[in-house]
Amino acid sequence: MDNKRPEPQGPSRSINSASDENSKFNRRDILRAAAASMAIPAIAQSTTAFAKDKLAGSGQVVAFSYGGLFTQGIRKYVYDPFTEATGIKVVDVIADVSDPQVKAMNQAGRVDWDTAFLQAAVFPPMDNAGMFVPIDYSLWDSESLEGTPESVRLKTAVPVFASAQLLVYDKRALGDHGPRNWADFWNVKAFPGPRGLTGLAATARIDMVIALLADGVPKSDVWPLTDDKIDRALKKLDEIKPHVAKWWTAGSEPNQLLINREVVMTSCFDGRTISSIRQGAPVQMAWDGAYVSYTYGVVLKGGPNTENAQKLIAFLNRAAVAAGFTLGTGYPGPNTNQLKHLPSDLVPLLSINPENASKVIHEDSAWVAAKRPDGKTNLEHIGERWLAWRVQ
């Protein structure tokens, strides 16, 4: 991913307020609290008993979040329960994105934060520069370790949440048998009507990946996006371009486009669609080919409360707490054991549901962040190719 979020990756809105779909895009709330008002007493009651052993402590931890409803949700379901369970106070620091501040603190030799959330594509060069300390997995309980795949338990980072961009369609226009995958998105004869796609150079890689999937490229062969694959993707996008009524640039747009009947199908972020569905919107998600990327949690090297930061990361990844995070922010972390703590109507809508997880494609964030021989990152190169194609 890039340093700027496409939604990302949202505007301040509540799951109880359908009118918030019309609110002006505000990047701070990119990951709005899709279900902050959902009540599951079991989580609130159980989290206080979780951290009496290894995680108990004192003092404080300076923890990052995105502000707005995201911070309200994570404080309600994670930070306040952490304080109650461990005795460690959580001090919020808020920003749209964290990497510029983390880099600045590192360069200045004064690190004032303890934790940060980083999009996976900006993590590798910062990790290589030694900005983070290893995650202390000895603090994790067995349920956290069993539920979180070893492949994502990195040495100095662990995913805090996943976001997916997937195909969503209007059931009023296409019924219960609408498009199932990106090939269907391109099939304007079988599924007529205007489309929507993300319209930022910063997220062009998503358009290219779904175009390759629509053109028959197996998920396992999509990465890396070599120049020949970029050429193929743009050629495929040529086919659908006349049918794209809206190249959306804010995460709040695609669901509203569907609700307003301006498009019959569009790419859309999963969290926002889940919120719409749970409010009764007549839309349907198609998980085949959904583009999934992670946001990592890290402990900053040189931070004032490193030991407490390790305890917060461990607490956040416990199954019941991870379920609370999902309810409070609308986006799930990778610990699949949280599924048994979530409302039954929510589980089928999440990317970590096994049935959905088997259909997605994960971003190769290391490749996206890597530099080309000309010194540009692959992300920058893809954005330039896409912008040149858009103006044709």
Side-chain angles (χ1 to χ4, degrees):
M1 281 194 183
D2 46 284
N3 290 355
K4 296 183 179 179
R5 295 174 176 258
E7 166 175 48
Q9 274 193 136
S12 209
R13 57 196 205 98
S14 164
I15 193 169
N16 290 326
S17 175
S19 64
D20 284 342
E21 286 283 359
N22 295 313
S23 62
K24 184 178 179 181
F25 177 61
N26 181 327
R27 294 184 356 164
R28 169 175 291 181
D29 295 318
I30 193 177
L31 298 165
R32 95 278 147 277
S37 65
M38 287 188 249
I40 50 166
I43 288 180
Q45 293 171 2
S46 63
T47 54
T48 57
F50 274 179
K52 299 299 185 183
D53 43 17
K54 294 182 179 180
L55 305 187
S58 60
Q60 66 180 30
V61 57
V62 182
F64 171 85
S65 65
Y66 297 109
L69 291 175
F70 183 97
T71 292
Q72 292 177 29
I74 196 173
R75 174 153 289 285
K76 176 180 179 180
Y77 286 104
V78 180
Y79 292 168
D80 288 346
F82 174 74
T83 298
E84 183 178 354
T86 67
I88 300 169
K89 179 182 179 181
V90 180
V91 178
D92 297 304
V93 290
I94 293 169
D96 289 344
V97 292
S98 67
D99 48 291
Q101 291 89 331
V102 173
K103 292 175 184 177
M105 287 187 291
N106 185 266
Q107 292 170 0
R110 177 180 174 179
V111 179
D112 299 320
W113 302 357
D114 294 305
T115 71
F117 298 159
L118 297 167
Q119 292 179 55
V122 307
F123 168 77
M126 298 174 70
D127 186 39
N128 292 337
M131 297 184 188
F132 317 121
V133 300
I135 300 296
D136 186 356
Y137 290 107
S138 71
L139 295 174
W140 289 37
D141 66 4
S142 59
E143 195 176 32
S144 299
L145 294 170
E146 292 166 0
T148 306
E150 188 175 358
S151 61
V152 301
R153 285 188 264 126
L154 308 183
K155 180 179 180 180
T156 57
V158 65
V160 176
F161 59 86
S163 61
Q165 197 172 125
L166 73 169
L167 196 166
V168 182
Y169 65 90
D170 182 357
K171 293 195 295 184
R172 297 168 299 182
L174 300 173
D176 293 325
H177 302 287
R180 302 297 182 189
N181 51 45
W182 294 113
D184 288 347
F185 187 93
W186 259 255
N187 190 343
V188 296
K189 291 184 178 180
F191 305 100
R195 271 74 164 152
L197 283 174
T198 179
L200 293 171
T203 53
R205 67 197 183 282
I206 301 176
D207 285 342
M208 291 188 182
V209 166
I210 64 178
L212 291 172
L213 295 174
D215 205 35
V217 176
K219 296 182 185 72
S220 59
D221 294 340
V222 166
W223 300 104
L225 291 182
T226 52
D227 284 340
D228 61 318
K229 292 178 186 175
I230 293 174
D231 291 340
R232 180 173 176 177
L234 293 177
K235 184 177 180 180
K236 188 66 175 178
L237 284 165
D238 281 336
E239 298 177 11
I240 203 66
K241 192 175 186 181
H243 304 280
V244 177
K246 179 67 175 181
W247 297 91
W248 55 267
T249 58
S252 57
E253 288 185 78
N255 273 298
Q256 194 62 46
L257 292 169
L258 289 166
I259 291 170
N260 292 347
R261 296 181 181 264
E262 296 179 57
V263 299
V264 298
M265 65 182 78
T266 180
S267 58
C268 187
F269 284 99
D270 56 337
R272 295 180 180 278
T273 302
I274 290 169
S275 177
S276 291
I277 290 173
R278 291 176 67 84
Q279 292 180 62
V283 300
Q284 180 69 41
M285 310 164 81
W287 277 100
D288 193 358
Y291 184 107
V292 175
S293 59
Y294 287 122
T295 293
Y296 291 141
V298 296
V299 177
L300 304 185
K301 186 176 182 179
N305 309 285
T306 300
E307 183 178 348
N308 287 344
Q310 295 282 9
K311 293 177 179 180
L312 179 59
I313 293 292
F315 183 81
L316 191 156
N317 282 282
R318 291 187 166 182
V321 184
F325 181 97
T326 299
L327 290 176
T329 69
Y331 292 85
N335 187 348
T336 56
N337 280 325
Q338 70 172 283
L339 294 172
K340 60 189 176 184
H341 297 283
L342 290 167
S344 59
D345 67 321
L346 178 59
V347 170
L349 305 178
L350 297 175
S351 62
I352 58 172
N353 177 296
E355 182 178 353
N356 298 334
S358 67
K359 301 175 182 178
V360 308
I361 180 169
H362 287 273
E363 177 178 271
D364 185 343
S365 300
W367 181 87
V368 172
K371 287 191 175 182
R372 298 167 56 87
D374 61 4
K376 297 177 181 178
T377 65
N378 287 315
L379 177 68
E380 291 168 335
H381 176 71
I382 291 170
E384 290 176 356
R385 289 291 311 273
W386 189 84
L387 284 174
W389 171 81
R390 275 293 309 275
V391 299
Q392 292 176 355

